[in-house]
Amino acid sequence: MASCPECNAELDGTPTHCHVCGCELVTEDLADWEVLGSIENRMWAESARETLRSSGIPSTVISKSGFFGNAGLPLNPIYESKDATFQISVPTVHTSEAGELLDMTLGDNWQRRKK
């Protein structure tokens, strides 16, 4: 059974949109996707996803900080002031275009993955 990447709702069959939050579900093979880079702030991660979406580039943002990272809160001890980390992935065919677009719109607010 699949789950929504946005709200984690369990989905039956092969839907194109989540029945809970309305998120468009990507149907491309995940083997053809590549991690483009990382973003240290949830607001910038959401901005990156919306920028790519408005340019017709499918993308996904995954928190690397666990459940609380999805809410923008790191799972670090309270005394540590490190931000949550989010990875952004795009289909391999859009890697170059998406990277250039994020460089123009986000500048230093994201780090391209080194190959």
Side-chain angles (χ1 to χ4, degrees), residues 34-39 87-88 95 99 103 107-108 110-115:
E34 184 175 330
V35 174
L36 191 58
S38 62
I39 301 172
Q87 282 185 340
I88 187 155
T95 302
D103 283 340
D108 292 337
W110 85 294
Q111 294 79 41
R112 189 185 292 246
R113 181 176 152 216
K114 295 182 182 1
K115 294 184 180 191

Side-chain angles (χ1 to χ4, degrees), residues 6 15 24 31 37 62 75 79 81 86:
E6 289 293 320
E24 182 178 353
I62 299 172
L75 286 177
Y79 55 83
S81 63
F86 301 88

Side-chain angles (χ1 to χ4, degrees), residues 19-98:
H19 64 278
V20 175
C21 70
C23 171
E24 182 178 353
L25 303 173
V26 179
T27 57
E28 296 179 33
D29 184 8
L30 292 178
D32 295 334
W33 283 63
E34 184 175 330
V35 174
L36 191 58
S38 62
I39 301 172
E40 297 288 327
N41 177 296
R42 181 173 176 82
M43 181 189 73
W44 286 112
E46 294 297 330
S47 175
R49 182 172 49 192
E50 288 304 315
T51 298
L52 294 172
R53 182 179 293 165
S54 69
S55 297
I57 301 173
S59 63
T60 185
V61 175
I62 299 172
S63 170
K64 299 311 286 179
S65 302
F67 174 78
F68 288 104
N70 288 328
L73 303 172
L75 286 177
N76 300 323
I78 294 171
Y79 55 83
E80 210 174 306
S81 63
K82 186 177 177 187
D83 289 334
T85 301
F86 301 88
Q87 282 185 340
I88 187 155
S89 299
V90 297
T92 304
V93 297
H94 294 292
T95 302
S96 178
E97 179 186 4

